[in-house]
Amino acid sequence: MLALALERVAYTANGQRIIDDLSAEFTAGERSVILGANGAGKSVLLRLCHGLLQPTSGTIRWNSGGSGKPRDAMVFQRPVMLRRSVLHNLTYALALAGVPWRERKARARTALAKAGLEALAKRSARVLSGGEQQRLALARAWALEPTVLFLDEPTANLDPVATREVEAIIQAIHSAGTKVIMTTHNLGQARRLGDEILFIARGRLIERAPADVFFRAPASVDAAAFLRGELP
Amino acid sequence: MSEAIVRALGLLAAFDRTLLEIAGLSLRVSLSAVLIAALLGLPLGAAIAVGRFPGRQAAIVVLNAFMGLPPVVVGLIVYLALSRAGPLGPLGILFTPRAMVIAQALLIVPIVAALTRQIVEDAWREHREQLVSLGASAGRAALSLLWDTRFSLTTVVLAGFGRASAEVGAVMIVGGNIDGVTRVMTTAIALETSKGDLPLALALGLVLITLVMLLNASAYFIAEAARRRYG
Ligand SMILES: Nc1ncnc2c1ncn2[C@@H]1O[C@H](COP(=O)(O)OP(=O)(O)O)[C@@H](O)[C@H]1O
Ligand SMILES: [Mg+2]
């Protein structure tokens, strides 16, 4: 049984507490949406979980029930692609993940098909539209078959159509059995994709609740204000 | 003057043998130098861009400063190293094209490395989180980014070649401008001009300018085509 446990995690930069004494545990299954205003610390929290940043204090532990750290992948707010074809961006990621080269192309093509990008396989990745690049980033993460997928505001720079396409892929990744942990400041998206909501403000976990409960009756003043559109 | 130009064009049109020999040696020396400089400078620049080690900032400052090394000083250093009493004296390659290759390579390694460092570091800033997230080691990231910036780096290598082939001081000192052995375009121009043989000097000058123009044009068009195709 997967578990990712944060215990009293703090992250300080330039004397500023960006994540403050945050404890939380994530288990397999439901989609966890980390909700909060701009600057609340969502991106930093996700980077800490993914291992791109080290906590100043506190611990982050993975538990997969024996067989080492489970594979986790991350999709960033702004997709970054290498100057090579769509297909080769995927096979590159698979190579770094240690997938034998005989299997890489087939796995990459499967992931592209799932993201609706197979027609673009030979195109250069960096000339794709923003929405296509973000779908490619999702396909790249999916191809790695992660146990946990972190997504940091994956639709923040996209128009409504591209947003729906990206949300559909996230939904499919969840349905295929990957644990989804994503951030957003968008209430509509949190409603559409969240099974549970972790509301954070000023680097602290203010409230955690099943999505229907959170949106019906937020327990904290901060969350209630955020839901009314009064940004703190 | 106009007579000199006409005779210069005559030499070019007739594929004058001396002229061809000199231009050919120039190309051989500078191509060898730029090949060596690329083999050393590209990995060096990428390593400094991606690596985190003590003295990194000092290395960057030194590299940037060495971009402006005066060629005559490089020539002097190579001369001292290769002269009979010098540490590399036993090689016996002073006043040979090899010595000229060494001098030109030394001159442009800092240029290639410093510009590569800048370009790869910019790319690293953009790609770092994604590459680390995918599990790339620093070495792997450096190689991937060298490939990712290959079109900008082509321009860097061409700039290095341009600088090597246009340089006089260093090859004059270590080559000696020996007729038929170490005489290249720039040293020949200097010599023929001082002797008053303007047609040959002018003809060589035209070849040199054409070469520089061709290099710049190809650098420009490579970069443009790459931008259109790869974004
Ligand atoms: N590397 C950093 N150094 C200093 N401050 C940072 C750094 N990264 C983020 N911050 C600050 O931390 C706070 C939270 O940032 P972030 O996690 O990006 O917020 P969110 O993703 O919720 O909008 C912001 O005030 C931001 O300015
Ligand atoms: Mg953010």
Side-chain angles (χ1 to χ4, degrees):
Chain A
M1 184 66 184
L2 162 91
L4 167 62
L6 286 74
E7 263 168 50
R8 312 208 58 176
V9 169
Y11 183 78
T12 309
N14 304 329
Q16 189 198 353
R17 287 227 138 188
I18 295 169
I19 296 296
D20 195 359
D21 195 20
L22 194 150
S23 298
E25 190 164 311
F26 296 93
T27 51
E30 59 185 7
R31 296 160 299 179
S32 303
V33 167
I34 297 167
L35 183 66
N38 275 325
K42 304 182 296 293
S43 298
V44 170
L45 177 59
L46 231 50
R47 281 172 171 78
L48 285 164
C49 291
H50 187 46
L52 290 173
L53 296 174
Q54 302 309 314
T56 314
S57 66
T59 55
I60 297 175
R61 276 184 302 109
W62 287 90
N63 188 344
S64 56
S67 58
K69 181 179 178 287
R71 172 166 283 160
D72 60 321
M74 181 153 168
V75 170
F76 296 86
Q77 187 166 338
R78 214 171 50 77
V80 183
M81 293 300 150
L82 291 168
R83 210 165 257 110
R84 34 181 111 188
S85 73
V86 163
L87 185 69
H88 283 122
N89 267 279
L90 261 67
T91 52
Y92 176 80
L94 290 168
L96 288 182
V99 174
W101 70 269
R102 290 167 195 285
E103 298 169 25
R104 285 176 209 158
K105 271 220 170 102
R107 250 171 92 166
R109 287 197 182 280
T110 309
L112 283 180
K114 290 195 233 170
L117 292 170
E118 63 270 68
L120 302 179
K122 291 208 168 101
R123 290 271 291 282
S124 178
R126 287 171 76 98
V127 299
L128 301 184
S129 73
E132 287 165 343
Q133 288 201 35
Q134 193 58 298
R135 274 151 65 202
L136 176 54
L138 280 157
R140 179 172 59 188
W142 202 355
L144 300 172
E145 298 172 0
T147 312
V148 178
L149 176 60
F150 297 107
L151 302 116
D152 189 15
E153 305 214 32
T155 65
N157 300 327
L158 303 183
D159 66 28
V161 174
T163 296
R164 292 307 164 111
E165 288 168 347
V166 164
E167 288 183 359
I169 298 172
I170 296 171
Q171 183 53 43
I173 292 175
H174 162 68
S175 301
T178 291
K179 165 75 179 179
V180 168
I181 301 177
M182 71 176 281
T183 69
T184 185
H185 66 266
N186 179 320
L187 288 174
Q189 184 163 67
R191 275 182 216 274
R192 288 190 295 274
L193 291 180
D195 293 317
E196 65 156 351
I197 307 292
L198 289 85
F199 181 74
I200 71 169
R202 298 174 301 277
R204 292 176 156 270
L205 178 58
I206 304 291
E207 179 172 354
R208 180 176 191 169
D212 53 341
V213 174
F214 179 85
F215 287 111
R216 191 162 19 85
S220 64
V221 180
D222 278 322
F226 184 77
L227 290 180
R228 283 197 306 273
E230 299 165 11
L231 299 181
Chain B
M1 181 65 201
S2 60
E3 192 208 321
I5 293 176
V6 170
R7 286 189 29 222
L9 292 176
L11 287 175
L12 288 173
F15 292 105
D16 179 76
R17 240 195 88 194
T18 315
L19 189 149
L20 282 186
E21 259 178 36
I22 294 173
L25 181 64
S26 271
L27 281 181
R28 279 212 312 283
V29 167
S30 296
L31 281 174
S32 310
V34 83
L35 182 70
I36 293 169
L39 286 175
L40 296 174
L42 292 173
L44 179 63
I48 295 175
V50 168
R52 288 289 169 270
F53 51 90
R56 174 174 181 272
Q57 282 178 325
I60 293 173
V61 171
V62 169
L63 216 50
N64 287 343
F66 277 19
M67 279 209 284
L69 276 183
V72 283
V73 174
V74 173
L76 177 63
I77 292 168
V78 174
Y79 179 92
L80 291 174
L82 295 179
S83 65
R84 197 172 302 163
L88 300 178
L91 293 179
I93 57 172
L94 192 59
F95 304 129
T96 68
R98 281 191 192 177
M100 298 155 78
V101 170
I102 293 174
Q104 288 193 353
L106 272 184
L107 195 66
I108 60 176
V109 160
I111 297 176
V112 174
L115 296 177
T116 300
R117 197 275 304 168
Q118 254 166 42
I119 288 167
V120 173
E121 193 167 311
D122 286 347
W124 180 230
R125 203 164 294 131
E126 184 188 358
H127 289 272
R128 189 179 57 88
E129 282 203 315
Q130 183 65 63
L131 292 180
V132 171
S133 168
L134 292 174
S137 64
R140 183 67 179 263
L143 284 180
S144 303
L145 292 178
L146 278 175
W147 179 247
D148 212 59
T149 54
R150 56 200 178 274
F151 305 112
S152 310
L153 294 179
T154 307
T155 313
V156 168
V157 171
L158 287 176
F161 180 70
R163 164 111 171 161
S165 55
E167 177 285 320
V168 204
V171 286
M172 184 74 96
I173 294 177
V174 304
N177 196 24
I178 302 165
D179 193 8
V181 183
T182 58
R183 181 159 299 171
V184 289
M185 286 193 279
T186 52
T187 56
I189 291 171
L191 178 72
E192 300 305 333
T193 306
S194 67
K195 283 198 324 199
D197 184 357
L198 293 183
L200 183 56
L202 267 175
L204 287 165
L206 281 173
V207 173
L208 199 53
I209 286 174
T210 308
L211 184 68
V212 170
M213 297 274 275
L214 280 176
L215 281 177
N216 279 290
S218 31
Y220 176 79
F221 286 112
I222 289 171
E224 274 305 294
R227 220 185 324 280
R228 244 175 289 122
R229 171 134 166 60
Y230 291 96

